[in-house]
Amino acid sequence: MKIIKRQDYIDIWKNLSQEKNMVFLAGPRQSGKTTLAKDILKDYPNNLYFNWDIISDKRKLIEDPYFFEDINRKDDSVPLVIFDEIHKYSNWKNYLKGAYDGFYKDFVFLVSGSGRLDLYQKGGDSLAGRYLMFNLFPFTLSELSEKKRGLTEFLDDPLSYFKKNKSETSHRIWRDLFELSGFPEPYTKGTKAFWRKWSQNYSKQIIYEDIRDMSGIRRVDDVALLFSLLPSKVGSPLSINNLAGDLGLTFDTVKNWLQLFDASFLTFRISPWSKKVTRAITKEKKIYLFNYPLIEDEGARFENMVALELKKWVNNWNSLGGGVFDLRYIRNKEKEEVDFLITNNQKPFLLIETKNGDATPAKSLIDFAQEINVPAVQLVNRDDIYKLKRSDNTLVVTAYDWLSSLP
């Protein structure tokens, strides 16, 4: 299997660990967190890797909570201690609080887990102020690309990009991601057949193991049925009432299960933006999948891929303190819509529309861009598209060309 170094995330780790001696790393199961953690470990002569899922490690912590004090040091540099899947320990928050408060001057801690460590509610004292956090995403085009803009360059002019990125390499990466997802194992295996085998087990593991254990839900088959309906809902505002009616469940039950999908990194959702938008809808979110080849409709899958690229971009730059970015969408009561809006410091920054084949600028994109006074990009899932109109601040461009140069 080809090994792809996750340099973007190693750089984020280096930045955060200089600011705080405890850093949380969360992300989807099988997105490469353990591999990344062990890559980071190589830069520390004094290190210790702990995994709660390993019985001997678990026993060591129970018998001697601060066992890491006895680390075999090779020099006088600060040791790195990695706690992997520690959130499965019932008293994990109190344990990490004690480890940080007692040893933050002498150790660096990396805490890794497949659940959203910042959302787990298993009791214990708050860890607020004791850690910084970043998320690991599956591979995206912007991560795998060699040529990228700097953040300042992007913020100054999001409509420009490195045209030299227009290459068969970017196209091939995009095509492979479309078929195989960005999860490291199916992506590096490189066959649709393997993705099918891998995918059949992936969501089942999370629903029948992680979500069941996290929530204590007994009706796990109903949870799985709800998830099976979501690929057909991608790209449109999600009506919880309609889902509840289809499944014969209460609104609150479906709402809570959707939150569990988000917390387990099966899905992520984006909210509508309503400020300065006439007759905007304000409630229904749009939902997207991390394992997006489950989506049969090619246009919806394309939109999902773009959503993941933008979500990763927003998360990474927020982690680095580059801004206070958010990903939204715009839709009004006349059902006019633009797929994505990036905001910075709660102000609109860039509108982004996706079209699977249409290179004609969408009327709703132009209208909303004028209404909220921001530049606009229409990403087209076709080769050799480039139409820049500085007069109305719009760009229509091949999706993989523009996305490959995201900072």
Side-chain angles (χ1 to χ4, degrees):
M1 182 186 299
K2 181 181 178 183
I3 303 298
I4 301 175
K5 192 174 181 68
R6 312 297 296 270
Q7 190 61 50
D8 287 0
Y9 296 99
I10 291 174
D11 292 343
I12 293 175
W13 155 259
K14 289 178 179 178
N15 179 285
L16 298 184
S17 60
Q18 290 174 1
E19 301 290 336
K20 190 70 85 170
N21 275 25
M22 181 174 283
V23 177
F24 281 15
L25 168 63
R29 183 195 272 244
Q30 297 185 39
S31 58
K33 295 182 300 299
T34 298
T35 301
L36 175 64
K38 290 183 175 180
D39 277 346
I40 290 170
L41 204 73
K42 295 173 184 176
D43 291 333
Y44 291 81
N46 305 313
N47 62 68
L48 187 150
Y49 175 79
F50 170 93
N51 191 322
W52 180 258
D53 290 335
I54 299 173
I55 296 297
S56 59
D57 283 3
K58 188 183 300 186
R59 185 173 62 246
K60 191 182 301 182
L61 183 148
I62 298 300
E63 293 175 351
D64 179 11
Y66 302 122
F67 63 94
F68 52 81
E69 284 188 279
D70 298 327
I71 191 172
N72 184 22
R73 297 176 184 247
K74 298 179 181 179
D75 57 26
D76 60 358
S77 62
V78 176
L80 170 65
V81 179
I82 294 177
F83 290 113
D84 203 353
E85 300 296 329
I86 189 69
H87 63 275
K88 295 178 182 178
Y89 175 34
S90 60
N91 198 33
W92 70 277
K93 286 186 178 181
N94 274 334
Y95 175 75
L96 291 180
K97 179 178 180 293
Y100 180 85
D101 289 349
F103 302 97
Y104 75 91
K105 293 181 180 179
D106 303 312
F107 291 86
V108 179
F109 300 101
L110 174 58
V111 182
S112 174
S114 55
R116 283 191 173 170
L117 297 171
D118 57 338
L119 294 182
Y120 267 85
Q121 300 295 324
K122 296 206 173 198
D125 284 341
S126 171
L127 284 162
R130 292 176 171 86
Y131 70 94
L132 295 174
M133 182 170 181
F134 69 111
N135 295 120
L136 180 68
F137 283 71
F139 292 134
T140 60
L141 176 63
S142 55
E143 180 189 357
L144 298 175
S145 298
E146 297 178 357
K147 301 292 185 181
K148 301 178 185 180
R149 289 168 281 183
L151 178 62
T152 300
E153 182 181 359
F154 176 72
L155 295 180
D156 286 345
D157 186 4
L159 302 188
S160 68
Y161 67 97
F162 292 131
K163 296 183 179 61
K164 66 179 68 174
N165 268 21
K166 195 171 184 177
S167 68
E168 179 56 34
T169 300
S170 296
H171 189 192
R172 176 184 53 77
I173 293 170
W174 185 251
R175 187 175 61 243
D176 289 347
L177 288 170
F178 188 85
E179 294 294 330
L180 307 171
S181 84
F183 284 91
E185 190 173 18
Y187 180 80
T188 53
K189 288 283 188 182
T191 69
K192 190 72 172 182
F194 182 83
W195 172 82
R196 292 190 188 97
K197 298 172 191 174
W198 175 89
S199 186
Q200 285 172 5
N201 293 320
Y202 182 74
S203 57
K204 288 182 181 178
Q205 281 184 312
I206 296 175
I207 292 171
Y208 285 90
E209 295 176 20
D210 296 356
I211 288 180
R212 181 197 60 198
D213 294 344
M214 182 197 320
S215 64
I217 292 174
R218 295 182 179 180
R219 301 170 61 182
V220 186
D221 287 343
D222 287 342
V223 178
L225 179 58
L226 172 62
F227 181 72
S228 73
L229 298 179
L230 297 183
S232 64
K233 309 297 184 183
V234 166
S236 300
L238 186 68
S239 171
I240 297 178
N241 276 321
N242 289 347
L243 284 172
D246 291 342
L247 295 171
L249 300 169
T250 67
F251 177 94
D252 286 342
T253 296
V254 173
K255 177 184 175 181
N256 291 337
W257 290 358
L258 290 172
Q259 289 173 342
L260 288 173
F261 294 155
D262 290 346
S264 302
F265 289 98
L266 280 171
T267 61
F268 63 95
R269 284 179 285 171
I270 66 173
S271 300
W273 175 267
S274 58
K275 295 179 183 179
K276 299 182 180 180
V277 176
T278 305
R279 293 176 55 79
I281 66 167
T282 59
K283 293 183 178 180
E284 292 180 338
K285 297 180 179 181
K286 295 206 296 185
I287 195 164
Y288 297 98
L289 311 183
F290 282 91
N291 183 22
Y292 47 77
L294 289 171
I295 305 166
E296 293 184 3
D297 182 85
E298 289 192 359
R301 191 192 307 182
F302 169 54
E303 180 180 330
N304 198 125
M305 290 176 69
V306 173
L308 189 60
E309 294 275 346
L310 299 176
K311 179 68 172 175
K312 185 217 72 170
W313 183 91
V314 163
N315 278 38
N316 283 4
W317 283 107
N318 284 344
S319 296
L320 288 168
V324 184
F325 299 105
D326 196 8
L327 183 62
R328 300 291 193 97
Y329 78 98
I330 293 181
R331 183 181 175 95
N332 63 23
K333 293 179 180 179
E334 285 70 39
K335 298 184 178 181
E336 297 168 319
E337 180 180 330
V338 174
D339 295 326
F340 306 108
L341 169 68
I342 295 177
T343 65
N344 188 14
N345 293 313
Q346 299 185 10
K347 297 178 181 179
F349 166 68
L350 178 66
L351 281 168
I352 301 165
E353 177 71 1
T354 63
K355 293 294 183 182
N356 201 38
D358 191 355
T360 302
K363 182 178 183 300
S364 58
L365 180 67
I366 296 172
D367 290 346
F368 280 125
Q370 292 174 347
E371 185 172 353
I372 62 176
N373 192 29
V374 294
V377 177
Q378 181 163 306
L379 299 178
V380 185
N381 199 22
R382 279 175 45 196
D383 301 337
D384 300 321
I385 303 297
Y386 180 80
K387 301 176 183 178
L388 175 62
K389 288 185 65 178
R390 287 292 182 185
S391 58
D392 56 10
N393 223 10
T394 61
L395 171 69
V396 180
V397 65
T398 296
Y400 67 80
D401 287 337
W402 189 83
L403 291 168
S404 64
S405 66
L406 276 179

